[in-house]
Each structure stands twice: as structure tokens, then as C-alpha cells.
């Protein structure tokens, strides 16, 4: 999990796929980013922006 202001650098050759989904409701927009690495590891990041 990244903290606010932190950056993660990933090389494209290390990736299997990246999936980005966005969910909206009246009060917020939530973005979910799923990163699957070729070695089998998976990282999921969720960001919520309130309106």
C-alpha cells in the first residue's frame, strides 16, 4: 500500500496485466487499480475521491 505522496515505479516487462475500474455514486468516485506481475504477485490499489 502506498501512502499519500509516495510513488511506485514498475517496469513494463515485469507486468502481466493492469486493470483499472471506476465506480461512481452520488458522493464519491472510487478507482481500483489491479496490477498483476509476471511472477504471480498482485497489487491492488483503491482510491476514493469524495465530491
Amino acid at each position: 500500500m502506498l501512502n499519500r505522496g509516495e510513488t511506485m515505479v514498475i517496469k513494463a516487462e515485469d507486468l502481466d496485466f493492469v486493470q483499472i475500474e471506476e465506480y461512481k455514486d452520488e458522493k464519491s468516485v472510487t478507482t481500483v487499480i489491479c496490477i498483476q506481475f509476471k511472477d504471480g504477485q498482485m497489487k491492488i490499489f483503491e482510491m476514493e475521491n469524495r465530491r
Side-chain angles (χ1 to χ4, degrees):
M1 184 64 97
L2 294 176
N3 294 314
R4 183 179 294 264
E6 288 184 323
T7 303
M8 176 184 282
V9 177
I10 301 170
K11 295 179 182 178
E13 61 263 17
D14 294 338
L15 296 178
D16 190 19
F17 72 86
V18 175
Q19 179 177 340
I20 301 172
E21 297 179 6
E22 191 170 80
Y23 304 95
K24 298 179 183 180
D25 64 22
E26 313 81 47
K27 297 181 182 179
S28 65
V29 176
T30 301
T31 303
V32 178
I33 302 170
C34 176
I35 301 171
Q36 175 76 44
F37 294 91
K38 287 184 179 176
D39 67 1
Q41 290 187 63
M42 181 180 286
K43 299 269 187 198
I44 299 174
F45 301 94
E46 186 173 316
M47 299 172 285
E48 181 180 33
N49 295 313
R50 295 182 186 254
R51 297 179 183 189

